[in-house]
Amino acid sequence: MPLARVPQTRSLSAVRTWIYTLAALVVLMVAVGGATRLTGSGLSITEWRPVTGAIPPLTEQAWLVEFEKYRQISQYELVNKGMTLSEFKFIYGWEWGHRQLGRLIGLAFFLPLVWFWARGVIKGRLALTLLGIGALGGLQGAIGWIMVASGLEPGMTAVAPIKLALHLTVASIILACLVWVAAGLKERSAAGEVPAGYAPRILMGLILFQIALGGLVAGSKAGLTYNTWPLMDGALVPPASALFSVSPWIENFVDNVVLVQFNHRLAAYAIVAFALWHAWTLRRTAPNSKTAGRATAMAGLTLAQMVLGIVTLLLVVPLWAGLAHQVFAMAVLAMAVVHARVSAV
């Protein structure tokens, strides 16, 4: 939703700082969520208690009750059978921390929102936009539980890839919305800016799409296979028999690790090529402009993210590399949003 021109005031500066703080918390939430996934902790809490779940088990008996609930699901029986209570506490801590951070973000959003609104600093379209983001945040909590519930079904040892991808994508959209609003609240001089057309917004959309594909890679654990580059199983392009081995064919895009990883690779190449073209075009037509400088920075960021992804793949997704790749994706997205927001069409 486009924002009306708002005069630069100290109050709006505080609003902008608050929104950027929320954006930073969302990035932290994505990082903790990634660690929860990579440590296999996401199914350790088998119930959704938005309010009472804020209090973790406080006694040994309470821990044993929670552990017994976990021992009833397929992940324990098929993957973690024989796990000790101490090991359970470790994975429980990651999932509890992820949910607790969600509660913190909710408070950090709504309490300042009410305060700014009561003072008349937030109103009109800005108020409606922020309320929409808040509603999306509430929906994200529900999506998170739907995702976890998919992994609690009999025979499942992890969450459904499509639901994990949806959860990550919605988090990314929330981050993009927050950065878009915050970037629009700052008055900027038109000096050094040149029209960039729709390329910045196309780049932003491509990055969001790539993050969704990354969610499918994470959910299907496609990064644990075909750990070579630039070849996949000895070929630049895997044979069609491997790419579409699942029936019906549409399910290959979600459940076939060959196609899932291949799509993620292709999207990375496309994004880097588009970002380089965008930067080259602006540096040729307006070499000293701020717009060209941002476009060049975006090209560098997308290239760095692709290199980090390759390293993560070659190392078979160690925890540090997987988290770095996921968090850096959020940074690339945030910079793309700023570029798209302040560049004239």
Side-chain angles (χ1 to χ4, degrees):
M1 182 182 296
L3 299 179
R5 178 65 65 183
V6 183
Q8 179 69 21
T9 65
R10 183 176 300 177
S11 294
L12 280 178
S13 178
V15 171
R16 189 172 64 252
T17 300
W18 162 59
I19 296 175
Y20 274 130
T21 301
L22 287 172
L25 286 173
V26 171
V27 174
L28 178 60
M29 184 73 163
V30 170
V32 174
T36 301
R37 173 183 58 82
L38 289 167
T39 56
S41 306
L43 300 180
S44 57
I45 302 179
T46 59
E47 298 172 320
W48 190 35
R49 295 175 294 173
V51 179
T52 58
I55 302 174
L58 300 177
T59 65
E60 193 72 4
Q61 182 60 36
W63 274 113
L64 290 173
V65 170
E66 290 299 312
F67 191 24
E68 183 58 31
K69 293 176 184 176
Y70 178 69
R71 293 172 64 182
Q72 302 305 311
I73 69 173
S74 297
Q75 187 187 70
Y76 174 82
E77 285 294 326
L78 300 177
V79 179
N80 291 328
K81 194 172 182 65
M83 170 183 278
T84 66
L85 180 60
S86 177
E87 291 170 332
F88 172 71
K89 289 180 179 180
F90 173 78
I91 64 172
Y92 187 99
W94 275 115
E95 175 63 11
W96 181 82
H98 186 54
R99 298 190 186 194
Q100 197 73 351
L101 188 54
R103 296 181 178 97
L104 173 63
I105 291 175
L107 291 175
F109 178 83
F110 282 106
L111 293 181
L113 176 66
V114 171
W115 189 77
F116 283 125
W117 203 332
R119 294 190 56 181
V121 178
I122 293 176
K123 54 188 175 181
R125 288 185 175 182
L126 176 58
L128 290 176
T129 301
L130 289 171
L131 284 176
I133 295 173
L136 189 59
L139 177 63
Q140 172 71 334
I143 292 173
W145 170 247
I146 292 171
M147 177 191 70
V148 170
S150 71
L152 299 177
E153 296 179 3
M156 293 290 290
T157 60
V159 301
I162 190 69
K163 293 177 181 178
L164 187 148
L166 177 62
H167 193 47
L168 177 61
T169 303
V170 173
S172 302
I173 291 172
I174 292 172
L175 173 64
C177 290
L178 290 170
V179 174
W180 182 275
V181 172
L185 290 177
K186 184 176 181 179
E187 293 284 354
R188 287 180 172 83
S189 170
E193 298 288 353
V194 296
Y198 288 97
R201 300 187 184 194
I202 293 173
L203 181 59
M204 179 180 66
L206 287 172
I207 292 169
L208 269 173
F209 178 65
Q210 175 69 327
I211 289 172
L213 292 179
L216 289 176
V217 170
S220 62
K221 295 182 172 58
L224 302 180
T225 57
Y226 304 101
N227 300 100
T228 58
W229 186 88
L231 304 181
M232 276 188 70
D233 200 23
L236 278 174
V237 180
S241 58
L243 292 172
F244 296 96
S245 61
V246 177
S247 182
W249 70 271
I250 192 66
E251 292 186 5
N252 286 280
F253 292 91
V254 176
D255 295 327
N256 184 347
V257 295
V258 183
L259 185 59
V260 167
Q261 188 188 123
F262 186 62
N263 285 339
H264 196 48
R265 291 188 183 206
L266 288 182
Y269 301 149
I271 289 171
V272 171
F274 186 85
L276 288 171
W277 170 84
H278 176 50
W280 175 79
T281 301
L282 284 173
R283 291 188 70 83
R284 184 170 55 87
T285 57
N288 298 318
S289 67
K290 294 179 181 178
T291 313
R294 286 195 307 272
T296 303
M298 282 305 308
L301 287 172
T302 57
L303 183 59
Q305 173 68 344
M306 186 178 75
V307 171
L308 180 56
I310 293 170
V311 171
T312 302
L313 178 71
L314 295 178
L315 296 177
V316 198
V317 199
L319 179 61
W320 69 266
L323 286 181
H325 189 48
Q326 188 163 314
V327 172
F328 198 68
M330 298 299 108
V332 174
L333 173 62
M335 290 302 298
V337 171
V338 171
H339 182 45
R341 184 68 174 95
V342 302
S343 298
V345 176

